[in-house]
Amino acid sequence: MFEKSINAYEDAKKVIPGGVDSPVRAFNSVGGTPPFIARGEGAYLIDIDGNKYLDFIQSWGPLIFGHCDKDIEEAVIRTVMDGLSFGAPSVLETELAREIVEMYDNLDKVRFVSSGTEATMSAIRLARGVTGKNDILKFEGCYHGHSDSLLVQAGSGMATFGTPSSPGVPADLTKHTLLCEYNNIENLKKCFEQSSDIACIIIEPIAGNMGFIPADIEFLKACREICDENNTLLIYDEVMTGFRTSLKGTSGIVEPQADIITFGKVIGAGMPVGAFASNKEIMAHLSPDGAVYQAGTLSGNPVAMAAGLTSLRKLKANPAIYDDLNAKAVRLTTGLKEVANKYNIPFQVNTRGSMFGFFFCDIDPKNFKEVGTCNFDRFATFHHGMLKRGFYFACSQYEAGFISTVMTNEDIDACIKAADEIMKDM
Ligand SMILES: *Cc1c(COP(=O)(O)O)cnc(C)c1O
């Protein structure tokens, strides 16, 4: 049933490290062979063996309208016919930038890049350039892409400068990165006692890379306040949550607002895009207006802009989409929770807009360390069982899930039924 994927995986491993171009695709945390995908179809993925899956990953977030949305496809094809890239300005960039800043009181200008990694890396450079400070503060379990200074793990303790979490990253590059515990205000204050040179706090205000953990409102307020007191900029990394959790991402859900916001995923609708945005005073520091250098040969690529523009306009034309998506997310998580309760399996769930998460855990995890106390064997059993039954969830408990507009209540009910079959034997 997975024969072709097994062969494709063996072939891929000969020419691509680990057979994949991004490590999470390799299924290392749950074991087994990742299905190789032939095509998408609405809410479903079809692999090269012909297996069909209800897709709760959606390319890790971008595909809020599911696969092969007709409007996005048409916009892309139309744009492709005029050329793939010009290395010169095009009107599509202005249009997409306008769609983004119009949503926010605190954003005036956007710079487009080609990935979320580039967006966060550039946002940090901008924050350092604007404040003239060197240190940055990030939280354990938040992922902001794979640039050197963000690949950091806790050193001797929390609220200290971190050590590299990957070979190839010199300790000299991470000695400016303070690492702090998520949702821990005391810890945050300690960081600011350690350094008076903090250029920015970067945070996933709704974390989707240590499982799904929204930050406490009080914690975000504390981040905002401590930034204001210290001439430090607050960066919301909304690469995953932007246009996902609400039409204004986290900023539409919580009161504390950021100075700089990074985007990716949904704003490219499946094409490679990232962006960072701020007010005009801060963005004035960016080249060519200002001295903070940042560039990209394919940045603002017209095909990617066309895809993102169509997607955002569809979302804005029908803002009720988010209530509908959340109702489905709640239907799914409530259903899964009821099944888990029935079999006395400790299980935690959460949703925001079209995003959801679940943990096989006694406690509701509030930070990365607490996620580590969850039951990973149960998660692996659940993941394999669901995959076999045609439900494609992220292959790690450290990831979030996504609902698309083309998913139906019947799809979700079928998923809950399949979960019952698996949890019954746990
Ligand atoms: C996916 C993600 C990134 C990195 O984006 P890439 O396009 O994979 O480089 C950064 N931050 C967050 C919050 C993300 O979810």
Side-chain angles (χ1 to χ4, degrees), residues 159 180 184-194 222 226:
C180 198
N184 185 337
I185 295 176
E186 284 315 306
N187 220 236
L188 175 69
K189 287 182 179 157
K190 230 185 248 169
C191 272
F192 276 82
E193 283 164 17
Q194 302 231 343
I226 210 159

Side-chain angles (χ1 to χ4, degrees), residues 115-117 120 143-145 204 209 237 239-240 265:
S115 70
T117 294
T120 55
Y143 178 69
H144 306 293
E204 284 183 79
N209 287 291
D237 181 357
V239 168
M240 188 184 282
K265 298 187 172 118

Side-chain angles (χ1 to χ4, degrees), residues 139-140 180-188 203 205 207 210 213-220 223 365-367 370:
F139 299 99
E140 195 190 26
C180 198
E181 191 165 74
Y182 199 69
N183 277 327
N184 185 337
I185 295 176
E186 284 315 306
N187 220 236
L188 175 69
I203 182 170
M210 51 173 151
I213 305 181
D216 297 334
I217 303 288
E218 289 310 314
F219 182 67
L220 290 177
C223 288
K366 288 283 178 198
N367 59 49
E370 290 180 359

